[in-house]
Structures are given as C-alpha cells and as structure tokens.
Amino acid sequence: MYTLMKEHANYLGKPAAEFASQLVRTPSLSLCENSVTRLVEKKMNELGFDKVIVDDFGNVIGIIYGTEPSPVVMLNSHMDTVTPDEAGHLWDLPPW
C-alpha cells in the first residue's frame, strides 16, 4: 500500500494543489455540502479509485485496494465549512 501511495504522490503535486483550490472555492456550508461531495466523488473516480461510494449522509468513501501485505491507511476529513462572516468584517476578499 505504501508503494502505491508513494507512486500516486509523485505525480499529484500541482494537480493536488489545483484541486485543493477548487475545493476551497466551492461553497460547502454544514448540511449543504452536495456540491463539494460531487466534486470529491468525481475526482476520486478520475484518479482511478477502485471503489467510490456516497452514503446516505453525503459522505464520500474512496477505496484503493493495496497489493502488499501492509497495514491499512485511512485518511479522514470534513467537507463542510463554517458560515462566513455575513457582515464582511472578517474577510478582505469574499470567501468563495
């Protein structure tokens, strides 16, 4: 699994940064994450994940089956964001 992850990491530098930027620009307020859910699901499929599932709660689960008898690696994160400051006091630029 570690070899597989290293191979993926070696070619993902700039595309990963571009995808992270796209994620940040996508509104994903708590309980309204559908746009970012679909974005993550699409990217996982494009990257060739072996299995991509969106559950009833909108969580995206991506699986890459390993080829080595190594420990399992799990990455976990949140897709939602907090509500931006509506009055605009905390932002120099709009959040999206």
Side-chain angles (χ1 to χ4, degrees), residues 27-41:
S28 56
L29 299 177
S30 193
L31 302 177
C32 300
E33 302 99 331
N34 192 49
S35 293
V36 85
T37 295
R38 297 298 161 213
L39 190 63
V40 170
E41 177 188 28

Side-chain angles (χ1 to χ4, degrees), residues 26-77:
T26 304
S28 56
L29 299 177
S30 193
L31 302 177
C32 300
E33 302 99 331
N34 192 49
S35 293
V36 85
T37 295
R38 297 298 161 213
L39 190 63
V40 170
E41 177 188 28
K42 180 179 179 221
K43 181 56 77 175
M44 286 179 169
N45 282 311
E46 288 173 359
L47 291 171
F49 277 59
D50 294 312
K51 197 172 195 179
V52 180
I53 303 159
V54 177
D55 70 12
D56 293 339
F57 299 100
N59 297 304
V60 185
I61 299 107
I63 299 171
I64 299 174
Y65 295 112
T67 58
E68 302 171 12
S70 301
V72 173
V73 175
M74 181 175 113
L75 304 174
N76 181 21
S77 69

Side-chain angles (χ1 to χ4, degrees), residues 14-31:
K14 185 175 180 184
E18 290 169 352
F19 181 60
S21 178
Q22 188 177 12
L23 284 172
V24 170
R25 288 190 315 267
T26 304
S28 56
L29 299 177
S30 193
L31 302 177

